Structure formats: C-alpha cells, structure tokens
Amino acid sequence: MQMTFRWYGEGNDSITLKQIRQIPGMKGVVWALHDIPVGEVWPLERIEEVVKQANAYDLHTQVVESVNIHEDIKLGLPSRDQYIQNYKETLKNLGKVGVKVVCYNFMPVFDWFRTDLFKEMEDGSTALYFDSEKVQALTPEQVVKNMEENAKDFTLPGWEPERLRDLQSLFEQYRNIDEGNLLKNLIYFLE
C-alpha cells in the first residue's frame, strides 16, 4: 500500500503539491479534472498536464477521484449510450498515463455528500464530515447553498454549479426511479 493525498488541482485547491510532498511517506495524489463538465471526455493533454505537475514533486497519479457519471446514465435515458462511450474514452486516456484506480459514485443527484468540509477535530486538524441529523433538518436547496458557501470558491466533485442550478428538475426526473431501476441502470453502465 502507498500513501496518497487528495488534490483538487492547481487553482482549485488551497493545498499545493509542494505541501503534499512534505508529508512523510507520501507517494502520490488522488486527483480529478473538476472543470471538465460531467459526461465530456477528459482530453489526454489535460490529463498529461496533471501528471506532469505531480511528477515534478515525485508524486504519482495512479488514482483518480472521481470521473463523475452523467445523470442520463443513472436515469437510463436514451442519451446514456453517448455518455457511456465518453466515459470509456476517458478511461482509455487515463490508462495511457498509468492510472490504475478510478473511483466513481452512482448516486442520484449528489455525487457525494458532506455536511462540513472543514470539521475541526480534537487535535486541531480538519476533515470532511457527515452529520445525518443535520441533513434531515435541511431542504435540498439549503444543502446546495451550504455546500457552495463552504466550498470557498473551489469546485467540488459532483457539486458543479451548472448541474445543480435546477435542482427540482433533477429530483423530478428521479421521481419514478426506484432502487431496482437504479441498479438496472448501473448494470447497463458496467456492461
């Protein structure tokens, strides 16, 4: 096992590669291209740019978190086949630079969920944090607003502003998608 650290990219992370490299035993970064709209192919040139940046600090880029899955795939819409093809092209491009692990989520609407992006721990460090009681007291619109306010102008995976502008429409699209439908659409995606 090798120790890695999440890195959201130059201009999208307050932590620099130089700082990450100073962590004892650090071997690589877990990264993504958050500025590429969900469903579009990640261009090889952009991928190579991140690899070059990390390699300059002797850090590998073998793990990506995450290549987000377009909602049309999760919903099982006819347009999903093109988005699946784009996803495959992205995987091929990542493979060309030695990426070995690609994390993804197949959750409706929100790609991942935290109630606090900077929860202070007992030792003074901060961490991503989830509090289910806090979530139950919020509307989806309040959740998005809180996430945007706490993101400190950084783009977070699965929370792209353009995707969440019409939140009610997204919820409406999922109205008839139950667990069985979602599983069926996941299997279609994986095949």
Side-chain angles (χ1 to χ4, degrees):
M1 180 172 7
Q2 294 184 5
M3 189 158 63
T4 59
F5 193 88
R6 68 101 190 113
W7 183 59
Y8 294 146
E10 281 187 8
N12 196 41
D13 201 322
S14 59
I15 305 299
T16 66
L17 289 169
K18 183 178 181 179
Q19 291 167 323
I20 293 170
R21 188 64 193 120
Q22 293 174 26
I23 301 169
M26 190 58 55
K27 300 294 183 193
V29 291
V30 179
W31 61 282
L33 293 176
H34 297 152
D35 62 313
I36 305 292
V38 175
E40 289 190 19
V41 176
W42 288 15
L44 182 59
E45 301 78 28
R46 287 291 313 289
I47 294 168
E48 290 172 333
E49 182 181 313
V50 172
V51 171
K52 183 178 177 182
Q53 291 166 350
N55 288 171
Y57 290 90
D58 199 27
L59 294 165
H60 72 70
T61 54
Q62 297 173 0
V63 182
V64 168
E65 165 84 44
S66 88
V67 177
N68 293 330
I69 298 171
H70 197 278
E71 295 297 331
D72 289 11
I73 298 170
K74 299 176 204 176
L75 289 162
L77 299 179
S79 53
R80 69 181 169 180
D81 290 332
Q82 181 58 54
Y83 289 115
I84 291 171
Q85 187 57 42
N86 290 354
Y87 202 94
K88 289 177 181 179
E89 289 302 313
T90 294
L91 293 178
K92 288 177 188 175
N93 287 344
L94 290 168
K96 289 176 184 175
V97 299
V99 170
K100 298 177 181 178
V101 177
V102 176
C103 305
Y104 69 93
N105 294 308
F106 206 83
M107 294 181 279
V109 184
F110 302 112
D111 186 47
W112 58 270
F113 204 127
R114 301 293 183 272
T115 53
D116 195 334
L117 301 177
F118 303 96
K119 169 81 171 165
E120 188 164 338
M121 308 307 285
E122 289 181 18
D123 66 357
S125 64
T126 59
L128 296 172
Y129 185 76
F130 179 80
D131 181 340
S132 63
E133 288 180 20
K134 190 174 183 182
V135 170
Q136 292 175 18
L138 299 172
T139 67
E141 290 80 11
Q142 289 171 318
V143 168
V144 170
K145 184 178 182 219
N146 288 350
M147 190 65 74
E148 288 173 347
E149 288 173 355
N150 291 318
K152 298 185 179 183
D153 294 326
F154 295 123
T155 303
L156 302 171
W159 290 85
E160 299 80 10
E162 65 277 0
R163 220 174 120 259
L164 299 174
R165 278 195 188 102
D166 194 4
L167 194 59
Q168 287 306 320
S169 174
L170 274 174
F171 277 106
E172 187 61 35
Q173 290 177 63
Y174 278 101
R175 182 173 302 282
N176 297 317
I177 303 291
D178 62 14
E179 189 176 323
N181 295 123
L182 194 61
L183 177 61
K184 184 174 76 174
N185 294 339
L186 172 61
I187 291 168
Y188 186 92
F189 169 69
L190 294 174
E191 290 179 336

